[in-house]
Amino acid sequence: MRLTSLDPPPRAAPTHSEDAAAATAAADPSAAVEAVVQQYAAASGSTSLEPLRDFLTAAQRYHAAVVAAGRAGRGGRGGRGEGSDAAAATAGAATVEAARRPEPLVLEPLADKEARTAVHRLFKGLPSGAGGFPRLETSTVEAAAAAGAPDGSAAAAKPQQCVQVAVSGGRGGGDGGGGGGRGQGQKRRRDADDWAGGALRYTRFLLFKENMDSQQALSSLSKLLRCGHKVFSVAGTKDKRGVTVQQVTAFKVDPGRLAGLNRRLRGMRLGNFEFAADQLHLGDLRGNRFELVLRGVEAASADAVAEAAKGLRDTGFVNYYGLQRFGTGGVPTHRVGAALLRGQWREAVRMLLTPRPDCSRADQAEACRLYLEEGDIEGALRRMPRFLVAEPLLLQALKQHGPSGYLNALSTLPRNLRTMYIHAYQSYLWNSAASHRIATYGAAAAVQGDLVLTQSGDAARAAARNRGRPRLQEDAEGEAAAGAEGEGRDAAEGDDAAAADEDAAGEEVHVVTAAEAAAGTYSIDDVVLPLPGSQTRMPEHATAGVYASLAAADGISLDSSPHGAQEFSVTALAGAYRRVLHRPTDLEFELLHYSHPDADLATTDLQQLLAAQQEQRAQRAQGQASGAATAAPAGPAAVAAAAEPATAGPTAAVPTAAGPTAAVAAASEPAAAAQPAEAAASPAAAAPSAGGGRYLGLQLSFTLPASCYATMLIRELTKQPTSVAHHKAMPHQQEQGSGGGAAAAAGEPASMAEAPAAVATAGDAGQEAA
């Protein structure tokens, strides 16, 4: 997806069906009730319709009374004196009292979730207005088992899911308000009438951001709009260190308000606004599109670079979790996860309150020191920066529950953060197992004992959802990156899905037999390894021992828990499966030759959009100047305006190893947009040429599924580590003339044995659009 507009959409007109429904309700209320009842019957399959018919009829009567009370209240306010107001209010209240609000109705149990969703949408989308229905709200409630179920049976023991429908509203007369219709219900009805989206209750837009994670960006929007953070929803989180574009939905936030924020935003823009019927959910994401540039590539020849890129496209790369998965805090997230799995609550708290060695915030470093060395909780809390997530929460809970209330403190962390640490430990085991599998059995084919998916990805996902079983990892695995960055730990670029279902054992994997391996029935692309959980199975060869041996070395059992905190236990997770190999079959590349080390090798969506807008303004100005010149002799000002060349708009260097996103972020600010001439005059802005230049770059574009890491693709291509320490040293290496082929950093997984030739590079950067 591309950011192509910063303008809000036009106001949505009512659809034909909405107009027809409203007209029918006004002309014949009983016909409107019957239409809704039949729609409910079609969606649910229910034959017991009379209770719903009675409820809707009573709701209509109540709504008509509220509307009449509101009119009486407005008429009273038009009179003179307080007596008129009081009399009108009394009359309005009496009218509402005569038609009492109907009690909430619990409909028949519905086991099918999709059917319940359809019923929710039916009642929430009913048209309101004079002669129509009041605003209805629905919820899912648990009801006792169906009557007649034998005692002790599963039907009798298990609560059933039902949809409850009720007339919306609170104090002050609800939908229209008692007391002359001046309550909260009248405000809600007025807000509904003002909503530009009609029946489409969500605004969907693109969030373009630089050098900030998704949660930080959404928190900024919430503060500027003075609304709760739950108003916004996304399909997944995006990396902080990059230029990213992603979809966001906002519940009934006017697009004009969002578009108006662009003048105040720093490091992000909002655009491509449209109205939508449904919100996004974590797990909706199917993949990410990446566009990036490798700068300062050192290789025997440009042909060697091209061959390496082609080889990567053909052979693929091991689907390791990237180092982002394990955080950039003082202690890696999987080490915190190990402490939690062991039940060492004090150790886990101290790990989370350990700052990075190069912590740039003196107040944060001092706050951590006060706690870790002196046990001064209140002093640490006073100094701890409030923008952090985990640290202030932990200190506040320790202050409340006492200095030894470690488990209580950990329980105050957002759920996605708590599960992130356990998932990180699962990922650590998976990476180690994947290295063993490739080193022992190669990356050419499936071997006896491997686990393979017996269904296509989409089929496996659908079957797993229906059965409540462990899903293919790119759908099921949940990284809580939304909260990770706030505590100084990077969000992972691909951990975008919701948490896994944690129910019955999975059957979508199969153990490869000796005959199947010999016949080549399955390929290496089918092979998966488990993220251990209570519902996953292990491969039936030596790689299975890697999980047990590493866990045992950390004092962790994968089959039981030494404590009663279920959420900090592997056995409480269903687990998931992750493909061992990924082939980026849509990978495209282009070799770039350039003369200046800071040459602009790519532009972002925002740069292209602003450049197009500026060109349009320049063309309009030239047209106006030409018209003025035709009508009258041109004065000095007109001549100057007509002679001024159109500029290409703001450009900025793609992030380099020396500064990941600073140049791009600066170019996105309004001030930068006003000074394109300076960028054009700079030698750093010289465009790359196809034939010459002392420097070589490689531009890449590819798509990866959710939870697949672009850094691992780059690592396989360059045969260089992805650690921060390595990349910080790269500019120095380039100055000294040393190149690639660096050995992997400690703790980083090994590359594929059959990988293409290495490509040395001075750094990587680019734009991720997903």
Side-chain angles (χ1 to χ4, degrees):
M1 61 192 67
R2 293 288 188 184
L3 181 70
T4 58
S5 171
L6 301 177
D7 300 323
R11 191 178 184 91
T15 63
H16 175 73
S17 59
E18 290 170 341
D19 287 339
T24 300
D28 190 348
S30 60
V33 167
E34 193 59 32
V36 175
V37 169
Q38 294 307 318
Q39 291 179 59
Y40 164 73
S44 65
S46 174
T47 57
S48 178
L49 305 176
E50 200 58 36
L52 177 60
R53 194 174 282 116
D54 293 342
F55 171 83
L56 292 175
T57 301
Q60 277 188 332
R61 286 198 300 267
Y62 174 76
H63 181 60
V66 167
V67 171
R71 289 171 179 167
R74 288 192 293 273
R77 288 193 297 274
R80 297 180 179 178
E82 297 181 358
S84 298
D85 271 351
T90 302
T95 304
V96 173
E97 183 66 22
R100 302 183 67 86
R101 180 199 305 270
E103 293 295 323
L105 173 67
V106 178
L107 301 170
E108 286 188 317
L110 281 176
D112 184 68
K113 185 177 180 180
E114 292 185 1
R116 292 198 303 272
T117 299
V119 172
H120 283 296
R121 290 176 176 171
L122 167 64
F123 291 114
K124 290 181 178 179
L126 290 180
S128 62
F133 298 99
R135 184 170 299 279
L136 300 178
E137 58 186 21
T138 60
S139 59
T140 299
V141 298
E142 290 187 349
D151 293 340
S153 68
K158 184 177 180 180
Q160 296 176 302
Q161 303 293 310
C162 304
V163 174
Q164 176 178 276
V165 58
V167 173
S168 179
R171 294 179 298 176
D175 199 52
R182 293 183 297 220
Q184 292 295 321
Q186 185 178 4
K187 180 180 184 299
R188 279 192 295 271
R189 188 172 63 251
R190 185 168 59 250
D191 291 343
D193 293 340
D194 291 341
W195 171 240
L200 305 177
R201 300 190 301 158
Y202 294 91
T203 296
R204 184 164 54 211
F205 61 95
L206 292 186
L207 168 63
F208 173 99
K209 63 180 182 63
E210 304 170 1
N211 202 30
M212 70 175 67
D213 67 42
S214 300
Q215 188 65 25
Q216 180 184 355
L218 296 179
S219 295
S220 298
L221 295 181
S222 298
K223 291 178 181 177
L224 290 171
L225 294 172
R226 297 184 179 180
C227 65
H229 67 278
K230 292 185 178 180
V231 166
F232 298 100
S233 56
V234 294
T237 56
K238 295 290 170 282
D239 237 351
K240 172 182 178 178
R241 289 172 175 83
V243 180
T244 69
V245 181
Q246 69 182 115
Q247 283 192 338
V248 182
T249 52
F251 178 71
K252 285 196 171 181
V253 178
D254 189 89
R257 293 184 65 199
L258 291 167
L261 294 179
N262 282 326
R263 296 187 298 271
R264 304 167 60 188
L265 295 176
R266 294 292 179 268
M268 59 176 164
R269 291 290 187 275
L270 314 178
N272 290 40
F273 300 98
E274 60 182 345
F275 295 108
D278 300 309
Q279 70 180 117
L280 294 171
H281 297 90
L282 286 174
D284 288 345
L285 189 73
R286 286 290 174 263
N288 296 295
R289 180 69 179 174
F290 294 87
E291 297 178 0
L292 52 87
V293 172
L294 303 182
R295 310 173 67 93
V297 174
E298 297 178 0
S301 66
D303 290 341
V305 178
E307 287 302 316
K310 291 177 183 177
L312 175 64
R313 181 170 58 198
D314 295 338
T315 62
F317 60 97
V318 182
N319 194 20
Y320 289 119
Y321 288 96
L323 293 187
Q324 307 98 303
R325 179 72 158 182
F326 308 104
T328 59
V331 178
T333 52
H334 71 288
R335 296 288 80 181
V336 178
L340 293 172
L341 290 171
R342 291 191 296 265
Q344 295 175 338
W345 316 129
R346 177 180 181 273
E347 181 181 352
V349 168
R350 292 182 67 83
M351 286 178 174
L352 291 172
L353 288 171
T354 298
R356 295 171 53 171
D358 59 346
C359 180
S360 59
R361 298 276 310 213
D363 51 354
Q364 179 182 354
E366 175 62 13
C368 293
R369 188 197 67 78
L370 284 172
Y371 174 75
L372 295 174
E373 297 181 10
E374 301 180 15
D376 185 354
I377 296 174
E378 293 194 9
L381 188 58
R382 284 194 301 271
R383 288 169 175 78
M384 189 65 71
R386 294 301 179 216
F387 70 88
L388 298 174
V389 176
E391 291 88 340
L393 287 174
L394 289 173
L395 291 171
Q396 186 64 48
L398 290 172
K399 178 182 176 181
Q400 178 182 352
H401 297 287
S404 60
Y406 303 113
L407 180 57
N408 286 330
L410 292 166
S411 298
T412 64
L413 297 178
R415 183 180 182 275
N416 56 0
L417 268 185
R418 300 197 304 270
T419 56
M420 179 186 72
Y421 304 121
I422 309 302
H423 291 153
Y425 189 77
Q426 289 177 305
S427 304
Y428 159 72
L429 295 180
W430 192 96
N431 273 8
S432 301
S435 290
H436 181 276
R437 165 62 181 80
I438 296 298
T440 305
Y441 304 107
V447 300
Q448 181 182 358
D450 271 335
L451 300 178
V452 296
L453 293 175
T454 57
Q455 299 170 297
S456 67
D458 290 340
R461 279 187 283 267
R465 289 191 185 98
N466 290 336
R467 294 193 298 266
R469 294 168 179 173
R471 291 180 279 176
L472 189 61
Q473 193 277 337
E474 55 229 39
D475 260 358
E477 177 60 30
E479 162 80 78
E485 185 61 38
E487 55 161 332
R489 294 167 172 83
D490 288 338
E493 67 205 45
D495 296 319
D496 296 312
D501 290 335
E502 300 173 0
D503 294 322
E507 298 175 352
E508 67 270 17
V509 290
H510 165 73
V511 180
V512 177
T513 66
E516 290 169 336
T521 305
Y522 298 100
S523 75
I524 187 65
D525 299 297
D526 300 315
V527 176
V528 297
L529 284 173
L531 285 101
S534 62
Q535 307 299 325
T536 53
R537 65 187 303 180
M538 291 291 172
E540 296 184 4
H541 51 50
T543 300
V546 173
Y547 291 92
S549 60
L550 286 177
D554 288 328
I556 294 169
S557 170
L558 299 179
D559 302 318
S560 61
S561 175
H563 53 76
Q566 284 297 304
E567 64 177 330
F568 299 134
S569 169
V570 173
T571 59
L573 299 176
Y577 298 99
R578 180 178 178 88
R579 296 184 188 275
V580 171
L581 194 73
H582 180 76
R583 299 179 198 267
T585 55
D586 69 343
L587 183 144
E588 300 175 353
F589 65 91
E590 180 181 358
L591 296 174
L592 305 173
H593 297 269
Y594 57 103
S595 301
H596 194 282
D598 295 326
D600 296 333
L601 304 183
T603 56
T604 68
D605 287 357
L606 182 61
Q607 290 171 331
Q608 295 172 14
L609 176 59
L610 295 179
Q613 292 177 345
Q614 187 168 3
E615 184 174 358
Q616 292 173 358
R617 288 194 296 269
Q619 290 174 351
R620 286 196 298 268
Q622 289 178 351
Q624 293 171 358
S626 298
T630 302
V639 172
E644 187 175 355
T647 56
T651 59
V654 172
T656 65
T661 53
V664 175
S668 73
E669 303 300 342
Q675 307 197 15
E678 292 182 11
S682 169
S689 63
R694 59 176 294 198
Y695 300 106
L696 177 64
L698 179 63
Q699 187 174 51
L700 298 169
S701 300
F702 51 90
T703 304
L704 297 179
S707 195
C708 191
Y709 286 73
T711 50
M712 293 296 99
L713 180 151
I714 298 303
R715 178 182 173 278
E716 189 62 39
L717 177 65
T718 63
K719 299 299 186 294
Q720 293 184 358
T722 60
S723 65
V724 174
H726 175 76
H727 281 270
K728 284 183 176 180
M730 292 179 78
H732 176 70
Q733 291 175 355
Q734 188 178 22
E735 292 169 7
Q736 298 299 321
S738 61
E748 211 168 356
S751 299
M752 290 173 54
E754 296 84 356
V759 174
T761 165
D764 64 271
Q767 178 178 6
E768 171 196 354

